[in-house]
């Protein structure tokens, strides 16, 4: 099946370490299992999940220091196509520890290196050059310190000279900057907690999330808006109306990577020319499949396609 190019952007990657201990308690030395090591960061995870599902993408990643070299080696081992940006400092690490006694997972996320204006300008130029072939650009994950909250809008303006379209999956200050901007991104994704924060009210029903997303589209924030509702699936509002895709009922081992797997499934189907309802369904299937795997393992292809066959998509 033909597929448009997909370029994933990871400005603040991390070397993800995941382990487990009998119990997580303060003040004690906690004896942990041998860690599982994965390259992490929103765009990297999206690219890895696209590859798992049989698609292709290029990962543009900012890497620095020994940790950056380790991530580059892991990405090469995974067979992921990589365009490397030089980060202004050592790439960060993150740690996820599962407490076996309670089943809870504790996630420790460190900051990345400080960026300055010249680094931002270099990144913008590199992204624009890499996106000249058109297709889709995915900006996913946190911004490093020093990268302005309005980076997505800056990138939208820069990409106007190409045929590339931009999907943004972000949160916090960067999400608020998009919501306040008059420069619409092509697709904006957020989770329900973030949507409720923007809305200033609870969004208990699917119809509430859909109405909120449709309002952002009307306000010119994005051409389409996706709100992830956790175990209740995801909704999208855009030119093709409002749709809801149910999340599959699966045993939840870890929710790490579920959002990135959703973006991978949704964008892969979109890049292959599938209608929006089927793209939403593949995203929901990939997210559910990711919940079935431990730590940073992402989704398994056989689970994604099995759950996609059982999809339930409704127009709202």
């Amino acid at each position: 099946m033909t597929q448009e190019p997909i370029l994933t952007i990871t400005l603040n990657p991390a070397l993800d370490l995941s382990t487990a201990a009998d119990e997580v308690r303060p003040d004690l030395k906690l004896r942990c299992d041998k860690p599982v090591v994965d390259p992490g960061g929103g765009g990297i995870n999206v690219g890895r999940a696209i590859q798992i599902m049989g698609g292709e993408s290029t990962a543009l990643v900012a890497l620095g220091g020994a940790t950056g070299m380790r991530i580059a080696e892991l990405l090469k081992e995974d067979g992921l196509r990589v365009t490397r940006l030089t980060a202004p400092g050592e790439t960060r690490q993150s740690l996820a520890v599962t407490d076996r006694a309670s089943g809870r997972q504790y996630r420790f996320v460190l900051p990345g290196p400080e960026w300055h204006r010249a680094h931002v300008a270099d990144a913008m130029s590199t992204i624009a050059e890499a996106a000249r072939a058109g297709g889709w650009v995915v900006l996913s994950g946190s911004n490093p310190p020093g990268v302005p909250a309005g980076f997505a809008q800056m990138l939208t303006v820069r990409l106007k000279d190409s045929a590339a379209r931009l999907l943004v999956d972000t949160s916090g200050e960067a999400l608020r900057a998009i919501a306040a901007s008059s420069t619409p991104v092509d697709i904006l994704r957020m989770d329900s907690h973030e949507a409720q924060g923007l809305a200033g009210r609870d969004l208990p029903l699917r119809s509430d999330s859909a109405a909120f997303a449709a309002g952002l589209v009307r306000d010119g924030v994005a051409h389409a808006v996706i709100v992830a509702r956790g175990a209740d699936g995801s909704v999208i509002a855009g030119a093709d109306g409002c749709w809801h895709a149910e999340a599959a009922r699966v045993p939840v081992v870890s929710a790490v990577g579920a959002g990135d797997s959703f973006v991978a499934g949704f964008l892969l189907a979109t890049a292959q020319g599938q209608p929006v309802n089927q793209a939403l369904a593949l995203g929901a299937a990939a997210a559910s499949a990711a919940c079935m795997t431990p730590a940073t393992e992402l989704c398994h292809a056989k689970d994604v396609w099995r759950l996609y066959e059982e999809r339930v998509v409704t127009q709202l």
Side-chain angles (χ1 to χ4, degrees):
M1 183 178 293
T2 59
Q3 179 206 307
E4 293 180 288
I6 297 174
L7 176 70
T8 69
I9 310 299
T10 312
L11 299 182
N12 204 20
L15 187 68
D16 287 339
L17 309 176
S18 56
T19 185
D22 289 337
E23 188 176 9
V24 178
R25 296 174 58 189
D27 302 325
L28 300 178
K29 289 184 178 180
L30 305 177
R31 304 298 178 182
C32 300
D33 295 343
K34 181 179 179 180
V36 175
V37 181
D38 287 299
I44 287 175
N45 289 339
V46 171
R48 290 171 60 206
I50 286 173
Q51 184 180 55
I52 288 169
M53 288 182 277
E56 296 182 351
S57 67
T58 297
L60 194 150
V61 189
L63 298 171
T67 305
M69 291 177 62
R70 180 77 186 278
I71 290 178
E73 291 170 359
L74 291 170
L75 293 175
K76 184 177 179 180
E77 291 172 7
D78 285 345
L80 208 61
R81 188 186 301 123
V82 176
T83 297
R84 182 169 177 170
L85 273 173
T86 300
E90 184 81 21
T91 298
R92 63 184 178 146
Q93 298 186 27
S94 68
L95 175 64
V97 182
T98 299
D99 181 328
R100 279 190 288 262
S102 66
R104 293 177 177 174
Q105 186 178 69
Y106 297 81
R107 300 169 66 181
F108 304 88
V109 181
L110 302 179
E114 182 83 22
W115 285 49
H116 301 287
R117 186 175 298 177
H119 304 128
V120 175
D122 288 345
M124 194 72 66
S125 297
T126 303
I127 295 168
E129 179 62 28
R132 288 184 66 182
W136 284 93
V137 176
V138 184
L139 183 61
S140 178
S142 62
N143 287 339
V147 172
F151 185 85
Q153 289 88 343
M154 296 163 59
L155 185 56
T156 298
V157 172
R158 190 64 179 266
L159 291 176
K160 283 184 177 179
D161 294 333
S162 72
R165 288 152 291 170
L166 180 64
L167 185 153
V168 181
D169 182 8
T170 191
S171 60
E173 188 179 355
L175 176 60
R176 291 190 292 273
I178 293 173
S181 173
S182 58
T183 303
V185 301
D186 290 286
I187 300 177
L188 175 63
R189 180 188 177 274
M190 67 192 79
D191 66 27
S192 193
H193 175 75
E194 293 155 354
Q196 290 178 157
L198 277 184
R201 64 183 187 278
D202 290 341
L203 302 170
L205 304 177
R206 299 169 185 175
S207 57
D208 296 322
S209 295
F212 169 71
L216 292 179
V217 174
R218 286 194 303 273
D219 291 343
V221 172
H223 299 307
V225 174
I226 299 169
V227 177
R229 293 180 50 82
D232 191 41
S234 291
V235 300
I236 186 170
D240 296 310
C242 296
W243 295 85
H244 173 265
E246 289 190 8
R249 296 184 179 180
V250 298
V252 177
V253 177
S254 170
V256 175
D260 295 327
S261 294
F262 173 93
V263 171
F266 177 87
L267 200 56
L268 178 59
T270 301
Q272 291 175 341
Q274 297 297 313
V276 66
N277 58 328
Q278 298 307 310
L280 192 70
L282 185 57
S288 295
C291 291
M292 300 169 63
T293 63
T296 54
E297 196 172 317
L298 298 177
C299 54
H300 293 169
K302 61 180 177 61
D303 295 325
V304 174
W305 297 115
R306 175 177 59 82
L307 296 175
Y308 178 66
E309 289 299 317
E310 300 169 359
R311 62 192 178 276
V312 178
V313 187
T314 307
Q315 188 162 21
L316 300 175

